[in-house]
């Protein structure tokens, strides 16, 4: 039955065209934004997961900054400790020389005084951003933010790497070094050995902390990249697929428009019945 009041063919063609246009708009949105899930309405569950992961990535970026600051602080302390070790080796050489009786103890004393003053200067100057792991003021050490752990119940906790101070200011008391004569130099020899061992142990401890911070920084960088890739796999659009779908939908749109045009012409055909 043909009717001039109800054109069911046109209604079907119109609904089909609306569906095609809706899919076309969605595909064009994917191409323009690069995301297949741009908002909660696209896929609420996946969108929520991606947002939680994005917040974690932001947290890990902050952790990377914290680790970089911690690495720099420890690196300065390591350099200072190694330099102090070298200076103490030089002090030992002067002490060994002073154990002889046919040397100028006055000049050796002056040299040792300069070297020990340099050690004191390095201890006070080995600071980064106000943190000094070689002097007494920094005995508390530093706590470096190193990780953000999310449990199965979605609770989040921050983790830290503690770096202890070696406090050379208190542990390296060079006031007992005396090369004013052979006897005093012999006594100072045992003392400098103790100081050298203290400096070596301190430098080694700081070096181990530096290595741990470096390893943690590398790990955080890798896990940040992995999470970023994971977020991309969840919400990013497949551009090859979107391009192919766009071509298909544009063709369907053209056919839908033609189908609607044909359906709208059907009532006109009824006029021929009355001629």
């Amino acid at each position: 039955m043909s009717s001039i009041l109800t054109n069911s063919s046109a209604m079907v063609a119109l609904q089909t065209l609306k569906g095609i246009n809706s899919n076309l708009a969605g595909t064009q949105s994917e191409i323009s934004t690069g995301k297949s899930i741009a908002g909660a309405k696209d896929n609420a569950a996946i969108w929520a997961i991606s947002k939680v992961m994005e917040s974690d990535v932001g947290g890990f970026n902050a952790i990377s900054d914290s680790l970089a600051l911690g690495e720099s602080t420890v690196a300065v302390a390591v350099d200072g400790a190694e330099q102090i070790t070298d200076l103490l080796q030089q002090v030992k050489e002067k002490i060994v020389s002073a154990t002889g009786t046919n040397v100028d103890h006055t000049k050796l004393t002056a040299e040792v005084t300069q070297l020990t003053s340099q050690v004191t200067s390095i201890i006070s100057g080995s600071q980064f951003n106000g943190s000094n792991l070689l002097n007494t003021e920094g005995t508390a050490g530093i706590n470096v933010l190193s990780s953000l752990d999310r449990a199965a119940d979605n609770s989040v906790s921050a983790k830290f790497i503690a770096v202890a101070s070696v406090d050379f200011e208190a542990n390296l008391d060079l006031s007992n070094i005396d090369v004013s004569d052979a006897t005093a130099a012999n006594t100072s020899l045992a003392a400098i050995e103790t100081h050298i061992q203290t400096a070596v142990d301190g430098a080694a401890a700081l070096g181990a902390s530096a290595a741990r911070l470096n390893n943690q920084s590398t790990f955080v960088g890798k896990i940040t990249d992995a999470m970023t890739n994971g977020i991309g796999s969840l919400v990013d659009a497949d551009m090859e697929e979107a391009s192919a779908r766009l071509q298909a939908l544009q063709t369907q749109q053209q056919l839908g428009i033609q189908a609607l045009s044909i359906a709208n012409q059907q009532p006109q055909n009824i006029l021929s019945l009355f001629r």
Side-chain angles (χ1 to χ4, degrees):
M1 183 187 75
S2 297
S3 171
I4 61 172
L5 299 178
T6 303
N7 190 339
S8 59
S9 296
M11 293 169 61
V12 171
L14 181 60
Q15 290 301 320
T16 300
L17 183 59
K18 284 182 177 180
I20 293 171
N21 287 340
S22 176
N23 291 334
L24 184 60
T27 300
Q28 288 173 329
S29 176
E30 283 188 30
I31 293 173
S32 62
T33 63
K35 292 182 177 293
S36 60
I37 301 174
K41 65 182 180 60
D42 298 324
N43 187 319
I46 298 299
W47 179 84
I49 292 172
S50 70
K51 286 303 175 183
V52 171
M53 292 178 68
E54 284 178 6
S55 71
D56 284 350
V57 167
F60 276 111
N61 287 333
I63 290 170
S64 293
D65 294 339
S66 173
L67 286 168
L69 180 60
E71 283 185 271
S72 298
T73 302
V74 177
V76 169
V78 169
D79 289 342
E82 291 176 349
Q83 183 65 28
I84 288 171
T85 302
D86 292 340
L87 289 172
L88 292 178
Q89 293 284 3
Q90 295 179 43
V91 172
K92 179 180 178 180
E93 293 175 8
K94 303 304 179 184
I95 293 174
V96 171
S97 297
T99 57
T101 57
N102 59 338
V103 294
D104 189 338
H105 289 93
T106 301
K107 290 182 178 179
L108 288 173
T109 298
E111 290 182 276
V112 168
T113 299
Q114 291 298 320
L115 290 171
T116 54
S117 296
Q118 183 64 24
V119 169
T120 302
S121 176
I122 291 174
I123 290 174
S124 61
S126 297
Q127 63 83 28
F128 185 86
N129 195 34
S131 296
N132 191 327
L133 298 174
L134 301 186
N135 66 6
T136 303
E137 185 178 341
T139 50
I142 58 174
N143 286 323
V144 181
L145 179 63
S146 60
S147 183
L148 189 67
D149 296 349
R150 182 179 294 278
D153 61 357
N154 264 343
S155 61
V156 179
S157 58
K159 301 298 181 183
F160 298 85
I161 293 177
V163 180
S165 165
V166 295
D167 193 8
F168 283 173
E169 189 173 15
N171 297 329
L172 291 179
D173 182 9
L174 300 180
S175 62
N176 58 1
I177 302 300
D178 184 2
V179 293
S180 58
D181 55 50
T183 302
N186 273 308
T187 302
S188 298
L189 196 55
I192 196 63
E193 284 293 341
T194 300
H195 291 323
I196 290 174
Q197 191 58 52
T198 298
V200 168
D201 290 344
L206 290 170
S209 296
R212 183 181 179 189
L213 290 173
N214 180 263
N215 290 336
Q216 184 66 16
S217 180
T218 300
F219 168 73
V220 168
K222 289 182 177 179
I223 197 171
T224 301
D225 289 344
M227 292 180 70
T228 301
N229 287 333
I231 294 170
S233 66
L234 289 175
V235 302
D236 288 355
D238 185 333
M239 300 306 289
E240 291 86 355
E241 179 186 346
S243 176
R245 190 165 63 250
L246 179 66
Q247 294 292 329
L249 287 169
Q250 287 175 336
T251 302
Q252 292 176 33
Q253 184 186 51
Q254 294 174 6
L255 293 173
I257 292 173
Q258 291 183 5
L260 181 59
S261 177
I262 292 171
N264 285 331
Q265 290 176 0
Q266 287 182 357
Q268 296 293 326
N269 296 332
I270 297 177
L271 293 176
S272 62
L273 298 176
F274 296 96
R275 291 174 182 170

